[in-house]
Amino acid sequence: MKKLMVFLTFVLAAGVSGCESEGTNKEYSMESRVFEKIKENPFVIEKEKVSKITSELEISAHELLRTLVPIAKKFAKPEISGYQVGVAALGESGNIYLGVNLEFADLPLNTTVHGEQFLVVVARNHGEQNLVTVAQSAAPCGHCRQFFHEMGVSDDLAILTPGAQDTKLASLLPESFGPGDLNLKATLMKPLEAASICMKSSIASLAIDAARASYAPYSLAKSGVAIQTKDGEVFKGEYLENAAFNPSLSPMQTALVALVAGMKQYSDISRVVLAEMKGSKVNQKPLTRHILESITQGVELELVDVSN
């Protein structure tokens, strides 16, 4: 992680050549100054730090969000496309969260974790119950608009994209289909059990805890993954479903979001445990194994049962 921080600091501080405009130089300078203030934990910027940064740099929250987008992009892992996505969102709590895209080589494209999905998972892991404003490197695709809609209270979510007028999610997703159409109340951002992205405890028990905290109202097939790194830290992920089914995230995908947001590398993984219910309509074992084999070698998937 130290080498990564040194590299990113160098890249952001390097600036641009003298032939570029003064405006571009100022933009790079602002990115560098912001990164210096958040580099220890860039994916979660707590309310107090947000207030301090905006005050010291004399910028608005929206300006900070826009500045954070290119910083976030540098953490993306687009193994197939090479296309980096960066997303930054202001939560109702006042915290700011970052999101990036994750792609997995040799696997189908539908295993990709979109930047917006990454963002929602990080916010959810930290107890956020609603997002207010999202700044993005490009407009959200239909897949991500649907994923945002699962939050239930997010139709007024403000979307900021380069070169376009600020807009609301409702205008980007007209005649939407969501939990309400299935007579369900959206609870994607309101888990029944508190989620913790990192703690030292039994890896099997954390996988079971993640499974029990899943958002699986459509299949009822709760499942969770816990990933242990070589230094003993454990990152867990919960199964998150969507009313449109396809934008759902497997527990392995959400566990990897927690891992990356925790500034760890795939090569740091030492153990992976999947907890799921026997006989359920959704089986997470094949996908979990395929993703694990794609990102690391020599780590066997361990399985535990989650009782009803």
Side-chain angles (χ1 to χ4, degrees), residues 203 225-231 233 235 252 256 259 265-274 285-303:
I203 183 172
V225 163
I227 297 175
Q228 187 172 55
T229 53
K230 295 172 183 176
D231 61 3
E233 287 188 297
F235 299 85
M252 183 61 170
L256 289 176
L259 180 85
Q265 302 299 314
Y266 297 152
S267 58
D268 295 324
I269 297 173
S270 62
R271 292 180 65 190
V272 176
V273 175
L274 166 65
K285 288 189 284 294
L287 179 60
T288 305
R289 284 198 176 101
H290 288 323
I291 294 178
L292 180 59
E293 291 169 358
S294 172
I295 62 175
T296 190
Q297 295 181 347
V299 179
E300 295 293 329
L301 178 63
E302 303 171 42
L303 305 173

Side-chain angles (χ1 to χ4, degrees), residues 12 28-39 45 53 57 59 63-64 67-68 71:
L12 289 166
Y28 253 84
S29 175
M30 184 61 72
E31 285 179 31
S32 178
R33 293 164 69 188
V34 169
F35 179 72
E36 281 297 318
K37 296 177 182 297
I38 67 167
K39 63 182 180 181
I45 309 171
I53 292 173
L57 299 182
I59 58 177
E63 289 172 320
L64 177 57
T67 302
L68 287 166
I71 294 175

Side-chain angles (χ1 to χ4, degrees), residues 1-307:
M1 182 177 79
K2 184 177 180 180
K3 290 182 179 179
L4 176 62
M5 289 294 97
V6 171
F7 171 74
L8 288 170
T9 301
F10 172 79
V11 169
L12 289 166
V16 292
S17 66
C19 65
E20 294 181 317
S21 70
E22 181 181 354
T24 304
N25 279 314
K26 287 181 178 179
E27 181 180 342
Y28 253 84
S29 175
M30 184 61 72
E31 285 179 31
S32 178
R33 293 164 69 188
V34 169
F35 179 72
E36 281 297 318
K37 296 177 182 297
I38 67 167
K39 63 182 180 181
E40 296 303 320
N41 185 13
F43 287 95
V44 181
I45 309 171
E46 295 184 352
K47 177 181 179 179
E48 294 74 16
K49 181 169 283 190
V50 171
S51 179
K52 184 177 181 181
I53 292 173
T54 54
S55 176
E56 290 180 353
L57 299 182
E58 298 181 339
I59 58 177
S60 67
H62 280 198
E63 289 172 320
L64 177 57
L65 288 175
R66 293 185 187 276
T67 302
L68 287 166
V69 169
I71 294 175
K73 288 175 64 175
K74 300 178 189 302
F75 294 93
K77 296 179 180 293
E79 304 297 331
I80 298 172
S81 69
Y83 182 79
Q84 295 174 311
V85 174
V87 190
L90 175 66
E92 197 170 57
S93 67
N95 293 349
I96 285 178
Y97 310 94
L98 302 190
V100 300
N101 56 322
L102 307 179
E103 298 172 359
F104 306 104
D106 302 320
L107 292 184
L109 296 180
N110 61 7
T111 59
T112 296
V113 177
H114 293 228
E116 294 89 336
Q117 292 179 304
F118 188 114
L119 170 80
V120 171
V121 172
V122 172
R124 184 179 187 271
N125 283 348
H126 285 82
E128 190 66 57
Q129 297 197 352
N130 189 28
L131 300 180
V132 177
T133 306
V134 179
Q136 310 195 188
S137 52
C141 69
H143 187 93
C144 294
R145 298 175 194 190
Q146 179 67 36
F147 196 80
F148 277 149
H149 184 57
E150 193 74 24
M151 291 189 290
V153 292
S154 59
D155 280 351
D156 288 331
L157 178 67
I159 309 290
L160 316 179
T161 54
Q165 289 187 338
D166 299 353
T167 188
K168 296 293 182 71
L169 178 62
S171 67
L172 295 177
L173 193 66
E175 300 183 32
S176 59
F177 177 85
D181 298 289
L182 299 174
N183 298 317
L184 293 171
K185 182 178 179 181
T187 57
L188 178 60
M189 299 291 281
K190 298 178 181 179
L192 296 177
E193 298 183 27
S196 175
I197 63 169
C198 175
M199 61 196 308
K200 294 182 182 296
S201 183
S202 162
I203 183 172
S205 64
L206 279 176
I208 293 173
D209 287 345
R212 290 173 177 165
S214 292
Y215 174 66
Y218 309 113
S219 71
L220 304 180
K222 294 191 172 187
S223 57
V225 163
I227 297 175
Q228 187 172 55
T229 53
K230 295 172 183 176
D231 61 3
E233 287 188 297
V234 178
F235 299 85
K236 67 179 184 177
E238 301 146 10
Y239 178 38
L240 303 180
E241 290 188 336
N242 189 276
F245 281 28
N246 286 354
S248 301
L249 286 175
S250 73
M252 183 61 170
Q253 290 170 303
T254 60
L256 289 176
V257 167
L259 180 85
V260 174
M263 302 301 288
K264 300 292 185 181
Q265 302 299 314
Y266 297 152
S267 58
D268 295 324
I269 297 173
S270 62
R271 292 180 65 190
V272 176
V273 175
L274 166 65
E276 63 179 345
M277 301 164 58
K278 288 184 178 179
S280 62
K281 295 179 180 179
V282 176
N283 183 350
Q284 299 288 351
K285 288 189 284 294
L287 179 60
T288 305
R289 284 198 176 101
H290 288 323
I291 294 178
L292 180 59
E293 291 169 358
S294 172
I295 62 175
T296 190
Q297 295 181 347
V299 179
E300 295 293 329
L301 178 63
E302 303 171 42
L303 305 173
V304 295
D305 177 44
V306 179
S307 62

